[in-house]
């Protein structure tokens, strides 16, 4: 853990990883979109609208993964006081919020033709809206304090408190009898989805995850560069005062 | 324990000294609730249907209203720095302050709720359900609110930020409070809703004072 808390080493690792991630993400995205949108069976009830699944479900998965990552980074930041973990939380939050918004928007577009409504106050949908607001609250805390250390701590506590929402999202469809369909892929025994549909779904999940990590590494590099610029400016103004 | 009781007594005494400021939340609760019949029309059937949920929402907002003062004054006049160095564990002091907050907001709301329920044409079973729901729900609101209040201490535009942080966390409490009222009104068993409200209260009793104490420590650094 402490090995990767060194910004210089992290940057080296990030630069080395990026081409590989790109090499995995792009083919996954192209193949996933092709199979998902053109070459997968249509649903006997939903017809072509089932294809929204390939952009909706991976977005929801990525949104939840992002929050889990935010919480882990926050815990590491609070316990071991690694500035890099704080920065990781700051970097990951807008990406997670973006994927949450994509999941909500595509879900709404899917809901209109299949359920006949853009929105229902169902447990799964409501808890995902709460997820979006937790992300936004986390970002707002970062912007509300003068000192970044204080902002990082406050934001981290909020992220950890908000983790109670993740199991609610995951199990909402089992606990409440609602319009949103129950889990069909990650359940005990065989997956309830046809392999012809599962393959493009998993390809898209890989593409989203790769995109998520790419954006994360990019944002980390920007954050570290900003920190460096701020430190250099501070050093320069100090040197100016000394003269 | 003595620290807990001392801070509780102090906060209550301070609130009484402010004469009137202490019961601001319950006044807001009542006044806000009375705006709805004027805005939506005084139809008894409609009012009795929405009354429970409406009062539950007002309880959230009234709790929120009094929250930013929970630690603000102590932070400004330096009391908080003394509390941070006190031998009593910080979480128990947070519990004392939060209990004082609840006695001044949630407690009066529970007392006022039946009267407002009558004004909103709610049935007696629904009013009983509402009182049970508020009795279990409002302490949770105060406890979760204490986390938000400690996080936003010294933040720019802390009040707005506080609402943004706390309201999403209030949603489960709201859902099960109004669920209790609806179940009680229709004569269904509301034990499940009440149990979940109780579980939320126990969970926040364990987690909230600790989280708020962690957040308060950061202000002293």
């Amino acid at each position: 853990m402490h090995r990767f808390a060194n910004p210089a080493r992290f940057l080296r690792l990030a630069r080395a990883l990026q081409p590989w991630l790109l090499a995995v993400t792009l083919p996954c995205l192209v193949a996933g979109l092709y199979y998902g949108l053109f070459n997968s069976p249509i649903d006997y009830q939903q017809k072509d609208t089932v294809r929204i699944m390939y952009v909706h479900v991976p977005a929801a998965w990525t949104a939840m993964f992002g929050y889990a990552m935010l919480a882990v980074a926050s815990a590491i930041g609070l316990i071991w006081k690694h500035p890099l973990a704080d920065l990781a939380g700051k970097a990951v939050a807008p990406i997670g919020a973006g994927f949450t918004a994509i999941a909500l928007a595509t879900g709404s577009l899917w809901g209109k033709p299949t359920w006949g409504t853009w929105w229902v106050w169902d447990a799964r949908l409501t808890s995902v809206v709460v997820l979006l607001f937790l992300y936004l609250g986390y970002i707002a805390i970062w912007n509300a304090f003068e000192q970044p250390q204080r902002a990082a701590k406050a934001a981290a506590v909020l992220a950890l408190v908000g983790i109670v929402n993740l199991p609610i999202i995951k199990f909402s469809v089992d606990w409440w009898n609602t319009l949103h369909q129950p889990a069909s892929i990650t359940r005990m025994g065989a997956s309830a989805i046809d392999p012809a549909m599962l393959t493009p779904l998993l390809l898209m999940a890989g593409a989203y995850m790769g995109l998520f990590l790419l954006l994360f590494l990019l944002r980390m590099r920007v954050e570290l560069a900003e920190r460096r610029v701020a430190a250099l400016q501070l050093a320069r103004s100090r040197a100016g005062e000394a003269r | 324990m003595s620290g807990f009781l001392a801070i509780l007594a102090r906060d209550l005494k301070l609130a009484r000294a402010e004469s009137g400021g202490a019961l601001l939340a319950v006044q807001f609760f009542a006044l806000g609730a009375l705006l709805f019949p004027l805005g939506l029309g005084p139809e008894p059937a409609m009012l009795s249907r929405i009354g429970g949920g409406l009062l539950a929402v007002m309880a959230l907002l009234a709790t929120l209203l009094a929250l930013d003062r929970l630690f603000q004054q102590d932070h400004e006049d330096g009391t908080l720095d003394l509390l941070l160095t006190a031998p009593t564990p910080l979480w128990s002091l947070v519990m004392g302050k939060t209990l004082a907050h609840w006695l001044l907001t949630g407690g009066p709301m529970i007392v006022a709720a039946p009267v407002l329920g009558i004004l909103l044409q709610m049935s007696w079973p629904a009013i009983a359900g509402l009182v049970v729901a508020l009795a279990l729900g409002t302490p949770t609101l105060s406890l979760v609110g204490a986390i938000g209040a400690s996080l936003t201490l010294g933040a720019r535009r802390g009040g707005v930020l506080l609402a943004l942080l706390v309201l999403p966390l209030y949603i489960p409490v709201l859902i099960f409070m109004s669920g209790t009222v609806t179940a009680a009104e229709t004569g269904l068993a509301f034990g499940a809703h009440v149990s979940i409200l109780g579980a939320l209260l126990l969970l926040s009793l364990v987690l909230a004072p600790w989280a708020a104490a962690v957040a308060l420590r950061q202000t002293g650094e």
Side-chain angles (χ1 to χ4, degrees), chain B:
Chain B
M1 198 64 196
S2 63
F4 168 81
L5 289 176
I7 200 112
L8 174 65
R10 168 185 167 274
D11 271 28
L12 290 178
K13 199 187 281 178
L14 272 178
R16 206 176 54 196
E18 279 175 7
S19 66
L23 295 178
L24 219 58
V26 69
Q27 290 171 41
F28 177 78
F29 176 66
L31 197 57
L34 295 182
L35 289 179
F36 285 88
L38 303 177
L40 300 172
E43 248 183 290
M46 188 250 305
L47 285 182
S48 72
R49 189 165 47 81
I50 62 171
L54 194 155
L55 288 176
V57 171
M58 283 312 300
L60 257 64
L61 296 178
T63 307
L64 191 63
L65 186 75
L67 266 183
D68 63 337
R69 297 178 46 77
L70 186 56
F71 300 112
Q72 191 69 44
Q73 219 165 9
D74 288 348
H75 181 57
E76 278 165 6
D77 66 13
T79 315
L80 190 65
D81 294 328
L82 292 177
L83 295 182
L84 285 172
T85 55
T88 321
L90 191 54
W91 61 264
S92 80
L93 298 176
V94 171
M95 287 268 260
K97 289 193 75 69
T98 310
L99 180 58
H101 175 265
W102 179 74
L103 286 174
L104 295 165
T105 57
M109 281 196 269
I110 298 169
V111 178
V115 182
L116 292 168
I118 293 169
L119 293 180
L120 291 171
Q121 320 281 353
M122 285 169 68
S123 66
W124 285 112
I127 290 176
L130 178 67
V131 169
V132 172
L134 286 177
L136 281 169
T138 49
T140 315
L141 298 180
S142 290
L143 283 162
V144 174
I147 305 176
S150 56
L151 285 178
T152 52
L153 212 52
R156 270 173 287 182
R157 276 166 304 164
V160 184
L161 184 60
L162 179 62
L164 182 65
L165 299 187
V166 166
L167 284 179
L169 299 174
Y170 276 179
I171 289 176
V173 184
L174 176 64
I175 289 173
F176 292 106
M177 284 209 295
S178 56
T180 308
V181 179
T182 314
E185 188 177 14
T186 48
L188 296 170
F190 56 84
H193 296 280
V194 171
S195 305
I196 293 182
L197 278 178
L200 290 173
L201 175 57
L202 290 177
L203 188 71
S204 48
L205 257 179
V206 175
L207 290 180
W210 170 80
V214 171
L216 284 179
R217 287 237 179 272
Q218 312 308 326
T219 62
E221 274 176 11

Side-chain angles (χ1 to χ4, degrees), chain A residues 78 126 130 133-134 136-138 140-141 143-146 150 153-154 157-158 161-162 164 168 176, chain B residues 147 150-156 161 164-165 168-169 171-172 175-176 203 211 214-215 218-219 221:
Chain A
L78 274 184
T126 311
V130 172
F133 277 107
L134 285 172
L136 294 180
Y138 181 92
I141 277 207
N143 295 329
F145 289 98
E146 303 282 344
R150 170 97 174 83
K153 297 278 164 51
V157 172
L158 179 74
V161 170
V164 294
I168 297 180
W176 286 281
Chain B
I147 305 176
S150 56
L151 285 178
T152 52
L153 212 52
R156 270 173 287 182
L161 184 60
L164 182 65
L165 299 187
L169 299 174
I171 289 176
I175 289 173
F176 292 106
L203 188 71
V214 171
Q218 312 308 326
T219 62
E221 274 176 11

Side-chain angles (χ1 to χ4, degrees), chain A residues 179-223:
Chain A
L179 208 47
H180 197 286
Q181 65 156 352
S184 49
I185 293 164
T186 53
R187 61 175 204 183
M188 300 295 254
S191 185
I193 183 171
D194 190 82
M197 287 179 168
L198 188 60
T199 311
L201 186 61
L202 291 181
L203 280 172
M204 285 304 281
Y208 272 58
M209 187 56 71
L211 183 65
F212 175 89
L213 292 175
L214 269 175
L215 288 172
F216 169 69
L217 290 181
L218 274 177
R219 282 189 56 84
M220 281 300 279
R221 287 175 63 181
V222 171
E223 290 289 343

